[in-house]
Amino acid sequence: QVQLVESGGGPVQAGGSLRLSCAASGSISTIYAMDWYRQAPGKQRELVAWITRGGSATYAYSVKGRFTISRDNARNMVYLQMNSLRPEDTAVYYCATAYLGERYWGQGTQVTVSS
């Protein structure tokens, strides 16, 4: 079983930056992919970025060039560096992964970007 706890959200002005962190219980070194999702009010949850065990990252088109996902397998941490934030980035951000056939989600952290 994997437990995920996000932190680092909060209010920020447009153009600003935030760094989200996701702490995983247990070792993530054997987990293939770690993901960041987000869900804005009234919208479906969307995949923002994901990173493989080896560090290969993929991004949604809307955040490419502005967000950077990283992981520290030794510390069981996953990060999402968010730069040049826009009001449309406002959402609850979730850390997620799949492990042994089960899907795991964190509780989410709110990011609010004001114009």
Side-chain angles (χ1 to χ4, degrees):
Q1 194 170 3
V2 178
Q3 291 184 328
L4 304 170
V5 179
E6 304 94 335
S7 61
V12 63
Q13 289 194 329
S17 298
L18 282 175
R19 187 194 195 205
L20 305 183
S21 298
C22 172
S25 64
S27 173
I28 65 168
S29 62
T30 59
I31 296 177
Y32 177 69
M34 299 293 298
D35 314 324
W36 282 100
Y37 282 77
R38 68 185 180 187
Q39 187 166 21
K43 294 189 176 180
Q44 287 191 330
R45 193 170 295 190
E46 64 170 343
L47 179 61
V48 175
W50 61 282
I51 185 167
T52 68
R53 183 168 55 229
S56 178
T58 303
Y59 299 93
Y61 178 80
S62 58
V63 306
K64 201 168 186 178
R66 300 187 297 122
F67 290 12
T68 302
I69 188 172
S70 61
R71 65 191 282 175
D72 185 337
N73 292 331
R75 291 183 169 83
N76 300 320
M77 296 291 295
V78 184
Y79 305 99
L80 187 68
Q81 177 66 44
M82 306 186 296
N83 298 329
S84 302
L85 283 161
R86 305 167 180 168
E88 54 264 39
D89 294 318
T90 295
V92 178
Y93 284 72
Y94 298 90
C95 180
T97 192
Y99 182 65
L100 297 180
E102 297 286 334
R103 190 76 181 157
Y104 295 95
W105 298 88
Q107 84 288 349
T109 185
Q110 176 71 47
V111 172
T112 303
V113 185
S114 59
S115 57

